[in-house]
């Protein structure tokens, strides 16, 4: 699985089911799922990304309103981390009143099929 061009499919699901038994590793020898899971760790990151799924772009104040337990400090921290990881863009409007909007990057949009599959799993197992 090394040196595969970005636009090429890595493998089909059927191939995955066979190869995963052998172990699928990155060039660094790690599980290819681990980096994403590490970047999405924390109580708020996936919830912020979900708000972007609903409304993209979205203003800081709307995210704050939609996530009633998150503090300003935590929201700012989560947004900075998601931006640093390349999942979201931040656009500042120097108007009166000033405001900031967040939107998915291409990398962030690539998460949509993953979120879809997680949603399917969630509905399938919601009564377990």
């Amino acid at each position: 699985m090394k040196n595969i061009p970005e636009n090429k499919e890595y493998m089909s699901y059927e191939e995955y089911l066979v190869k995963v038994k052998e172990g699928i590793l990155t060039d660094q020898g790690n599980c290819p799922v681990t980096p994403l899971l590490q970047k999405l760790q924390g109580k708020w990151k996936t919830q912020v990304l979900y708000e972007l799924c609903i409304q993209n772009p979205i203003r800081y104040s709307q995210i704050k309103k939609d996530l009633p337990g998150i503090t300003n400090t935590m929201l700012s921290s989560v947004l900075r981390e998601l931006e640093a990881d390349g999942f979201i863009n931040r656009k500042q409007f120097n108007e009166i009143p000033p405001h900031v909007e967040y939107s998915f990057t291409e990398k962030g949009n690539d998460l949509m099929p993953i979120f879809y599959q997680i949603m399917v799993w969630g509905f399938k197992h919601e009564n377990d």
Side-chain angles (χ1 to χ4, degrees), residues 7-101:
N7 294 333
K8 186 175 179 183
E9 288 291 322
Y10 284 86
M11 65 181 78
S12 69
Y13 181 67
E14 290 75 22
E15 291 172 310
Y16 164 78
L17 290 175
V18 172
K19 291 183 184 260
V20 75
K21 302 290 186 203
E22 303 163 9
I24 301 170
L25 301 176
T26 65
D27 289 339
Q28 293 78 32
N30 300 320
C31 167
V33 176
T34 300
L36 176 62
L37 294 179
Q38 288 174 337
K39 289 178 185 197
L40 296 181
Q41 281 183 349
K43 177 178 180 179
W44 297 106
K45 283 188 180 179
T46 53
Q47 292 182 54
V48 168
L49 290 171
Y50 183 69
E51 294 303 322
L52 272 154
C53 291
I54 297 169
Q55 185 176 333
N56 183 31
I58 189 170
R59 288 186 178 194
Y60 178 96
S61 58
Q62 185 64 47
I63 301 170
K64 179 77 171 105
K65 180 180 164 187
D66 292 340
L67 298 177
I70 194 167
T71 64
N72 287 329
T73 303
M74 180 56 71
L75 179 55
S76 294
S77 174
V78 166
L79 290 167
R80 274 194 305 274
E81 289 174 19
L82 291 171
E83 184 181 15
D85 288 335
F87 294 123
I88 63 172
N89 288 315
R90 179 184 190 276
K91 185 174 182 183
Q92 184 167 334
F93 293 85
N94 295 322
E95 303 167 347
I96 305 291
H99 65 277
V100 176
E101 285 184 350

